[in-house]
Amino acid sequence: MNRQRTYQWIVIWGASLVIAVLSHFFFLTEFFKGRYMTGLNDGLSQMIPFKYFLYNLYTSGEFFYSESFGLGGGVFSQLGYYFSTSLVFVVTVLVTFLLEKIGVISTPDLFYWANTLIVISILRMTCIIALTTYYFKTIRFQGVPAFLGAVLYGTSVIYFRHVTYWEFFADAMLFFPLLLIGVEKIMRNGKSAIFIGAVALNMIDNFYFAYVNFLLAFLYILFRWLFPLFIEETEKGKQLKLFLVGGIAGAGISAPFFIPSVYGYLNNYRPAYEDAIPLVGAVDNLLLHGRIVILPAFVLLCLLMTPLYKNRAFRFFASSTIVSCILHYSPFVGSMFNGFSAPQYRWEHYLSLAAGGTAAAALQQLRTLRLKDIIFPAIVATGLYILFYTFDPKLKIRIYESYLIICAGITIAMFFVFIWNKKRWATWVIISFLLFTTVLTANMFQEEKLTYRDNGKNKGPAYGITREYMESEQYYGVDQRALIRKVQATEKNPLARFDWMIETRNNTPIVQDFNGMSVYSSILNKHLLFFYLHDLHIDMRRESVSRYGSLGDRANLYSILNGGYAIRKDGGDPVPFGFTEIAREGKYQAYRNDYLLPFARTTSTLYSEENLENAPALVKEHAMLKGIILPDIEGEEIPELENNVNEVTFEPVNATYEDGMLHVADGEGGLDVVMGEMDLKEDSFLSFFIKRKTNDKDFTLKVNGFTTERKDNDSIYRTNVNDLTIRVPSEERIAIRVPIGKYDLRDFSLYTEDYSLLKAVKEQSDREAPIEVEWSGSKAKIELDNQKGDSHIVLPIPFEKGWTAKRNGEKTPILQANYAFTGIELQSGKNEIVLTYYPPYFWPAVGISLLSILFSVYWSRRSRKV
């Protein structure tokens, strides 16, 4: 018997691998043509860079923090949403590291991670199909129907959508059936070991999809109670007890990984979604061109056949499928599964699994059907296809949609053939047709819906992502990297940062291997985001959440925050004051900051964050130059700065301007800020409020040579920050230009800067003894002789929970300084400061995990005996 079962599982795993390979056939052919299985946007901007980044970090022995993640950031807390705790990725890292060490592969680069996408996807899908087959067999489905249901789930279009655009999303489809196996073990046998393990693995792998899968598991349990599958099941009171205790135990096991990730989520900042979320709204055409889920025609027909509902299993899965289809059309439900934020449709793998279960349960009951049982369902199904075609304004019948219609027609015909001849070969024809069309649907979806084609709006390859594109100046440019390497080889400041990123790609520093000043991640340190958006009003040249980048060409901030170099392209972004060209490569130039201040600076001049709350951004820059800004202190009197807005005049250009409303009737227009007799200095800082009132779409704002992109008012990626501060080199006119439309444009202020304070601070720092600083990942060491008796030291290390500090061997508090960075009180004389980072609550979480493992072993044995 054991040998037979082993043989069966060898066949299941082999068949799962075959289906996985065939389902990726289009992407495989693309791979051999030199194209990668990834999206132009997040695929290239996040998925591949983060894998490359984390592999290098982990294999260097650093697991918790990187100074190269933007301005610095915790790995578990800010990348837990992606790959830092992904079990699939961890296994990939281990295998890759082993292959590298034994010489099978060279040091993995970006292209290695691009190449392995399809291999990992095939192996992941193989595991999904085999594991889901086991789940269906757990609820007593026969082998072939169980496998077919698993194929419908594992090869569903949502899998390919996930794995192409946001690869880590696909892991949720792997761990969800494992969770359901655990649920079934409790419901049927009162055994909780698998449930505990499944809860722990879900929470370790990804905190966000653990939330999604747990909501889905709750929905599954409710349906199981409404539609019992078996006569004898564990009493519901005991089930609740086992679910509760097992859930707590599993959560405890996951604590060292889950808690830092959740803390990162809570320490993130994303503007609240303020738009109305309807209960019902158009989302997706489930029958003819769904971008998230396609309901197979076979499943639709089965749902309409009332005799099949006599079977317990069919009744359960059919009801789950119907309810899931209804919920699919609810933006409110999409919002609920996204933490009650903007609606996102990431839970529909449950619909695919329910549809797979419906098909599997129906296959086992087909012989009970008669001709009269399928005539009405065939008519209704035909009517539904006509309805979905007629009332979908976005639908265009192309190859993919035509194929789905043909499949539906053949499926209906096959039912009639089966009723006419219920022999075994007819059943196998249906099974073979379902497997064939499922695989073919997956491949056609890859080609028609996932492979990028230029629509005239996006910049990128016309077809697919190629190595040629990745090596172009739009991503991994040869000249760009050569210039950065040249500067790194000749300049002697290893801690200095480069201001350089390719347009819209804030993770350029990760891709091109340098310490930069930009990052793009769904979870970031909220103190840094507030610093950019609210405290200093730093315009990033593109309005968008989940990212920060550059410093708005503001020289004071570069000098304060260790911005040593800037890379610019011919005719590109302006160069900040005080930067001198030092190298050139092709169309790119490198500039060095001649006024870069020391990494660590000491001071006894303290300013209150509260007193500076309504001060102009330039005043705050001066406060950081003179001293340190701290919360909850009295502080020095804030520096004074004259607002010159009353000395200028405003002239409309190709526009009308009245009572704060700018109307550009045609082309491009705006306002000229005319300086008149005002004394010009090096730079001007112009602040104003702007919001588009008409033509609700993205627009470009130009202020002299500075260009920034603003989101439309309906975008879920808008920041809701409309108070801008733009630095431009001083000229007699500052031209504000926007495209045709109406704008709310008001609340102007104008400050000028001659950088005399920056120059004085630079001269003073050059006369002082240098402070010794070493910083690499989660360790930083600072040594200084505080002969001046300064009270504080300030460091451009982002303030983040997890850092601890020792000063001369004794623990000392870390202060939130200059809004988002690190300050420490000093003693007179010699100070040796050591900073160490571990993920938030890491060591208590490790203790909880160990205790939870011991408890789980005890509880599992105890529940097995009861």
Side-chain angles (χ1 to χ4, degrees):
M1 183 65 178
N2 288 337
R3 182 177 296 178
Q4 184 179 358
R5 290 186 62 186
T6 301
Y7 174 75
Q8 288 177 348
W9 280 107
I10 290 174
V11 171
I12 288 172
W13 277 96
S16 299
L17 178 59
V18 170
I19 292 293
V21 171
L22 292 176
S23 297
H24 287 80
F25 182 76
F26 172 78
F27 275 137
L28 281 169
T29 59
E30 292 294 287
F31 175 79
F32 289 111
K33 293 176 183 176
R35 301 187 183 107
Y36 299 118
M37 183 182 172
T38 191
L40 175 67
N41 297 315
D42 286 348
L44 286 185
S45 291
Q46 292 186 314
M47 304 305 118
I48 293 174
F50 287 160
K51 284 184 163 188
Y52 171 68
F53 170 71
L54 287 171
Y55 179 81
N56 290 339
L57 196 68
Y58 288 171
T59 54
S60 69
E62 180 59 72
F63 299 96
F64 302 132
Y65 195 93
S66 174
E67 73 278 17
S68 299
F69 184 75
L71 295 171
V75 172
F76 277 19
S77 58
Q78 294 181 52
L79 286 175
Y81 177 64
Y82 296 94
F83 296 108
S84 63
T85 61
S86 164
L87 296 172
V88 173
F89 177 67
V90 168
V91 171
T92 307
V93 167
L94 292 173
V95 172
T96 300
F97 183 70
L98 178 62
L99 294 175
E100 182 186 0
K101 288 304 174 185
I102 63 178
V104 175
I105 62 172
S106 57
T107 302
D109 56 12
L110 279 168
F111 304 100
Y112 169 85
W113 294 105
N115 284 321
T116 57
L117 285 170
I118 193 164
V119 177
I120 296 168
S121 180
I122 289 171
L123 294 177
R124 183 196 289 110
M125 180 180 285
T126 301
C127 294
I128 289 172
I129 294 173
L131 189 62
T132 309
T133 302
Y134 180 78
Y135 156 70
F136 283 133
K137 288 175 70 67
T138 299
I139 55 176
R140 298 179 186 173
F141 278 7
Q142 298 167 11
V144 173
F147 179 73
L148 178 66
V151 169
L152 289 177
Y153 170 66
T155 65
S156 57
V157 298
I158 193 172
Y159 174 84
F160 288 101
R161 176 178 167 83
H162 281 352
V163 83
T164 303
Y165 293 147
W166 312 281
E167 186 195 353
F168 64 96
F169 283 13
D171 288 3
M173 293 184 66
L174 175 63
F175 291 103
F176 183 56
L178 179 63
L179 187 63
L180 297 188
I181 292 168
V183 168
E184 287 296 334
K185 290 293 184 182
I186 285 178
M187 286 186 153
R188 289 186 54 203
N189 310 115
K191 297 178 180 179
S192 59
I194 293 179
F195 181 75
I196 292 172
V199 168
L201 291 175
N202 272 272
M203 294 178 72
I204 290 171
D205 185 79
N206 188 288
F207 75 94
Y208 172 77
F209 276 102
Y211 165 77
V212 172
N213 280 350
F214 291 164
L215 280 181
L216 294 176
F218 176 73
L219 185 65
Y220 178 89
I221 292 168
L222 289 181
F223 272 99
R224 281 284 279 106
W225 285 349
L226 289 171
F227 305 99
L229 293 181
F230 308 102
I231 297 175
E232 294 184 1
E233 292 186 349
T234 307
E235 188 268 326
K236 288 185 177 61
K238 184 179 179 181
Q239 287 185 34
L240 285 172
K241 180 180 179 181
L242 292 173
F243 285 137
L244 179 63
V245 176
I248 293 173
I253 293 171
S254 74
F257 310 95
F258 181 76
I259 290 177
S261 298
V262 171
Y263 172 80
Y265 169 77
L266 297 175
N267 193 52
N268 185 39
Y269 169 71
R270 187 159 182 158
Y273 184 73
E274 298 176 348
D275 297 347
I277 302 174
L279 182 62
V280 179
V283 177
D284 213 12
N285 190 325
L286 283 172
L287 299 184
L288 289 174
H289 74 140
R291 60 189 176 87
I292 302 169
V293 178
I294 290 289
L295 190 68
F298 178 83
V299 175
L300 176 64
L301 278 166
C302 292
L303 291 174
L304 298 170
M305 295 179 184
T306 53
L308 294 177
Y309 286 84
K310 296 176 183 178
N311 178 263
R312 289 173 179 265
F314 183 85
R315 194 161 59 240
F316 166 69
F317 283 110
S319 301
S320 299
T321 303
I322 292 169
V323 171
S324 297
C325 288
I326 295 171
L327 296 181
H328 176 74
Y329 287 95
S330 172
F332 177 79
V333 172
S335 172
M336 180 182 71
F337 278 97
N338 196 37
F340 294 94
S341 183
Q344 295 285 2
Y345 304 94
R346 297 166 179 165
W347 62 270
E348 281 86 342
H349 54 283
Y350 181 83
L351 197 165
S352 296
L353 184 133
T358 300
L363 273 177
Q364 299 184 143
Q365 308 300 317
L366 284 183
R367 291 183 176 276
T368 65
L369 296 175
R370 293 170 295 177
L371 181 62
K372 67 177 184 178
D373 297 327
I374 67 170
I375 293 176
F376 180 72
I379 295 171
V380 174
T382 302
L384 285 173
Y385 273 94
I386 294 172
L387 190 69
F388 273 64
Y389 167 74
T390 304
F391 291 97
D392 186 347
K394 298 181 180 179
L395 180 62
K396 295 179 181 179
I397 298 297
R398 291 171 291 204
I399 295 176
Y400 180 63
E401 290 76 16
S402 300
Y403 156 76
L404 292 175
I405 293 172
I406 293 170
C407 280
I410 295 175
T411 302
I412 293 172
M414 288 182 60
F415 266 99
F416 282 101
V417 171
F418 178 80
I419 295 299
W420 172 67
N421 189 338
K422 293 184 180 180
K423 292 185 178 180
R424 186 176 180 85
W425 65 264
T427 304
W428 279 104
V429 167
I430 289 180
I431 292 170
S432 301
F433 179 75
L434 282 174
L435 289 173
F436 173 75
T437 54
T438 299
V439 168
L440 187 56
T441 300
N443 281 280
M444 294 191 72
F445 182 81
Q446 294 161 35
E447 181 175 10
E448 295 294 322
K449 302 296 183 181
L450 297 180
T451 302
Y452 175 81
R453 286 180 173 81
D454 188 11
N455 60 6
K457 296 180 181 179
N458 297 310
K459 296 179 180 179
Y463 183 68
I465 305 300
T466 64
R467 184 177 182 119
E468 180 183 6
Y469 176 76
M470 289 182 65
E471 289 183 327
S472 73
E473 65 175 16
Q474 293 175 292
Y475 190 70
Y476 192 66
V478 174
D479 289 345
Q480 301 160 9
R481 289 182 291 119
L483 182 59
I484 291 169
R485 300 296 174 267
K486 183 186 296 185
V487 175
Q488 290 173 328
T490 57
E491 300 293 313
K492 304 301 181 185
N493 188 347
L495 294 175
R497 296 186 178 276
F498 287 77
D499 175 29
W500 165 244
M501 57 171 275
I502 294 171
E503 182 181 2
T504 76
R505 298 202 184 275
N506 290 57
N507 286 327
T508 297
I510 292 175
V511 171
Q512 298 188 3
D513 293 304
F514 63 89
N515 285 348
M517 312 189 81
S518 64
V519 72
Y520 168 37
S521 171
S522 289
I523 295 177
L524 292 169
N525 183 337
K526 70 179 180 182
H527 305 299
L528 287 171
L529 295 175
F530 284 144
F531 180 80
Y532 271 84
L533 297 174
H534 301 293
D535 299 322
L536 272 296
H537 291 286
I538 303 169
D539 192 278
M540 298 175 261
R541 295 192 177 89
R542 182 192 181 205
E543 181 189 16
S544 185
V545 297
S546 304
R547 66 184 75 215
Y548 61 80
S550 189
L551 290 170
D553 303 328
R554 287 154 63 172
N556 291 329
L557 294 179
Y558 283 100
S559 296
I560 293 167
L561 297 179
N562 210 33
Y565 309 100
I567 306 294
R568 296 291 186 265
K569 184 181 178 181
D570 289 343
D573 296 330
V575 179
F577 167 82
F579 279 68
T580 303
E581 183 176 334
I582 57 172
R584 178 181 287 267
E585 197 75 36
K587 296 180 289 185
Y588 299 89
Q589 307 89 44
Y591 298 85
R592 180 179 56 221
N593 185 358
D594 294 333
Y595 297 101
L596 182 65
L597 300 176
F599 183 90
R601 296 188 298 129
T602 65
T603 184
S604 292
T605 304
L606 312 182
Y607 294 98
S608 167
E609 190 175 303
E610 290 72 23
N611 292 343
L612 286 164
E613 183 176 357
N614 298 315
L618 189 54
V619 169
K620 296 175 182 179
E621 291 182 13
H622 287 180
M624 287 189 282
L625 284 171
K626 290 180 178 179
I628 182 174
I629 302 173
L630 296 170
D632 304 321
I633 62 167
E634 289 293 331
E636 304 275 346
E637 185 175 338
I638 65 173
E640 293 185 1
L641 204 60
E642 181 182 0
N643 185 354
N644 299 295
V645 74
N646 294 325
E647 299 181 35
V648 303
T649 58
F650 296 93
E651 294 183 1
V653 177
N654 194 31
T656 59
Y657 183 65
E658 187 175 356
D659 297 330
M661 293 301 298
L662 178 72
H663 183 197
V664 180
D666 184 43
E668 184 180 80
L671 286 181
D672 275 2
V673 182
V674 184
M675 301 299 184
E677 301 299 321
M678 197 178 79
D679 191 22
L680 299 180
K681 298 180 181 178
E682 294 287 350
D683 282 348
S684 296
F685 285 66
L686 182 65
S687 299
F688 52 89
F689 175 96
I690 186 169
K691 186 174 182 180
R692 191 183 184 98
K693 305 293 287 186
T694 59
N695 296 332
D696 199 20
K697 58 184 178 182
D698 294 2
F699 69 95
T700 301
L701 169 68
K702 300 176 183 176
V703 183
N704 284 7
F706 190 94
T707 301
T708 183
E709 302 293 329
R710 305 292 298 168
K711 293 292 184 186
D712 68 68
N713 296 332
D714 290 332
S715 172
I716 64 174
Y717 302 111
R718 68 188 186 276
T719 63
N720 294 329
V721 174
N722 299 305
D723 291 295
L724 308 183
T725 295
I726 308 294
R727 166 267 177 189
V728 292
S730 291
E731 297 182 27
E732 293 183 357
R733 285 176 178 261
I734 300 177
I736 302 172
R737 296 292 182 266
V738 289
I740 183 172
K742 290 184 179 180
Y743 301 84
D744 185 357
L745 179 60
R746 52 184 164 83
D747 299 340
F748 285 93
S749 60
L750 177 66
Y751 299 91
T752 57
E753 172 68 299
D754 61 6
Y755 296 106
S756 56
L757 178 58
L758 174 60
K759 294 173 183 177
V761 173
K762 172 63 175 173
E763 290 177 7
Q764 176 67 28
S765 65
D766 288 344
R767 291 194 295 267
E768 295 175 352
I771 298 174
E772 298 296 325
V773 178
E774 296 177 10
W775 181 27
S776 178
S778 56
K779 299 284 185 181
K781 184 177 181 181
I782 302 98
E783 293 183 354
L784 70 148
D785 192 355
N786 186 21
Q787 295 297 327
K788 295 191 301 180
D790 281 336
S791 61
H792 290 77
I793 188 170
V794 61
L795 307 164
I797 297 176
F799 179 83
E800 185 175 347
K801 191 173 187 66
W803 283 108
T804 57
K806 287 188 176 181
R807 182 190 58 212
N808 295 331
E810 296 183 0
K811 193 170 183 179
T812 188
I814 293 178
L815 306 176
Q816 185 176 343
N818 292 348
Y819 300 103
F821 299 94
T822 297
I824 296 172
E825 290 190 30
L826 293 175
Q827 296 176 337
S828 297
K830 291 189 179 296
N831 286 258
E832 182 179 277
I833 299 169
V834 177
L835 297 172
T836 307
Y837 179 89
Y838 285 101
Y841 312 107
F842 183 70
W843 292 113
V846 169
I848 292 172
S849 181
L850 293 174
L851 290 174
S852 298
I853 291 172
L854 293 175
F855 173 78
S856 298
V857 172
Y858 160 77
W859 179 257
S860 298
R861 290 179 175 178
R862 181 178 179 274
S863 61
R864 193 182 305 136
K865 294 177 182 178
V866 174

